[in-house]
Amino acid sequence: IICNCDHTTPFAVLLISSVHWQILSYISYIGCGLSAFFTHVSLSGALFLLNTTFLLTEWGATLDLDWVCVFVAAFMHYSLLCCFTWMAIEALHLYLVLIKVFNTYYKHYLLKLSLAGWIPGIIVGVSLGLKNFKQFYGPTQMTMADTNQTNPCWITDDSFFYSLNLVYFTLTFIFNSGILMAVASSICKMKQVYKSNSRLRPDAKGKSWSDSQRFSLSCRNGLTLLGLTCLMGTTWGLAFLGSGYVNYPILYLFCILNSAQ
């Protein structure tokens, strides 16, 4: 099949088969449900809001009350932007405690971070305030490749969706990826120093470090980086690899990693 198009709207979602859509939905519901259960504050709180509102998106579209679907869509958008913001804040905090280290005291530090983390409410509030000019939230039509359409509550305007969400996440992704590479480099340097010292200095029992102990340390460092990758939301970058065409492995990875973040 060859598709010709004179604008940049991707139609990948229209080509997903209903079977894969249903499986991806179940993965998302289970992952979001588990994530919501284990969340509490800050980034976790934003993820809790995102996961719980995501679980309501298709239900909200089935109600006759239009404002319910608009509220669910707007609240999920707010939660998503807050998640991206808190991911960037987590990266900034890691930079201060692991890279900069010295002269990192800031007055009312946590209060300032908290205000910044929830500030996307202004963006969503302004978007809702323009409803008489343009309705940005409500039921959206998504037609599968081999079945009827589904209508989840989400952003109804493609230009608004891509111009805001894509730019917002791209900036967050670039910033967090840079911090992650800096942290990874710092961990590798510490590992080299630790490795050199372990050769020269025996442990408490008078024995030198064995290969298994060094391997265990490497595994812990690897798991630390993996955890930081999830913490800073770099797994959301899989969205860039799945845009423009249907790539089922990428879609499944995106669903599993990010719904269970």
Side-chain angles (χ1 to χ4, degrees):
I1 299 174
I2 299 176
C3 299
N4 294 321
C5 182
D6 60 357
H7 55 91
T8 58
T9 305
F11 291 95
V13 71
L14 304 181
L15 302 177
I16 299 176
S17 71
S18 60
V19 175
H20 287 289
W21 175 266
Q22 192 171 23
I23 295 172
L24 289 166
S25 296
Y26 285 139
I27 291 172
S28 299
Y29 289 146
I30 293 170
C32 288
L34 289 172
S35 292
F37 180 77
F38 287 106
T39 53
H40 49 301
V41 295
S42 302
L43 173 59
S44 295
L47 286 171
F48 172 79
L49 296 177
L50 177 62
N51 292 322
T52 49
T53 50
F54 179 83
L55 295 173
L56 301 175
T57 51
E58 293 193 23
W59 168 80
T62 62
L63 301 179
D64 294 331
L65 301 172
D66 294 338
W67 67 268
V68 175
C69 190
V70 171
F71 174 79
V72 170
F75 204 70
M76 185 167 77
H77 188 214
Y78 166 65
S79 305
L80 180 66
L81 295 180
C82 284
C83 284
F84 293 156
T85 306
W86 275 109
M87 290 170 195
I89 289 174
E90 292 285 354
L92 174 63
H93 185 66
L94 279 172
Y95 169 77
L96 293 177
V97 298
L98 292 179
I99 308 298
K100 189 176 181 183
V101 182
F102 299 105
N103 299 320
T104 57
Y105 173 77
Y106 299 98
K107 193 174 181 179
H108 305 303
Y109 176 68
L110 289 178
L111 177 61
K112 292 175 181 177
L113 290 186
S114 296
L115 291 175
W118 302 108
I119 207 169
I122 298 175
I123 299 173
V124 177
V126 171
S127 302
L128 284 171
L130 297 174
K131 65 179 181 179
N132 293 330
F133 171 72
K134 180 77 174 180
Q135 182 63 271
F136 293 113
Y137 304 105
T140 58
Q141 294 184 355
M142 293 185 180
T143 305
M144 302 300 104
D146 53 1
T147 187
N148 296 327
Q149 64 187 29
T150 181
N151 301 312
C153 301
W154 187 222
I155 298 172
T156 57
D157 186 85
D158 286 341
S159 300
F160 175 70
F161 173 80
Y162 289 108
S163 61
L164 178 59
N165 288 9
L166 190 60
V167 171
Y168 203 95
F169 173 69
T170 300
L171 293 175
T172 302
F173 180 78
I174 293 172
F175 176 72
N176 287 11
S177 297
I179 298 295
L180 182 63
M181 287 188 286
V183 171
S185 176
S186 179
I187 289 176
C188 289
K189 289 177 182 177
M190 287 189 291
K191 178 186 172 185
Q192 291 297 326
V193 173
Y194 200 72
K195 190 174 180 181
S196 300
N197 289 340
S198 66
R199 288 174 180 169
L200 301 173
R201 182 187 41 162
D203 61 13
K205 296 180 180 179
K207 297 179 181 179
S208 298
W209 281 67
S210 64
D211 291 337
S212 61
Q213 287 175 308
R214 295 191 187 97
F215 177 74
S216 177
L217 179 62
S218 298
C219 288
R220 288 199 297 271
N221 290 337
L223 289 173
T224 298
L225 289 176
L226 181 62
L228 292 177
T229 300
C230 294
L231 176 70
M232 292 192 285
T234 46
T235 53
W236 287 75
L238 289 169
F240 295 126
L241 301 178
S243 62
Y245 63 98
V246 177
N247 188 326
Y248 285 116
I250 295 297
L251 282 175
Y252 277 94
L253 274 176
F254 182 87
C255 253
I256 293 170
L257 292 175
N258 296 322
S259 67
Q261 184 179 6

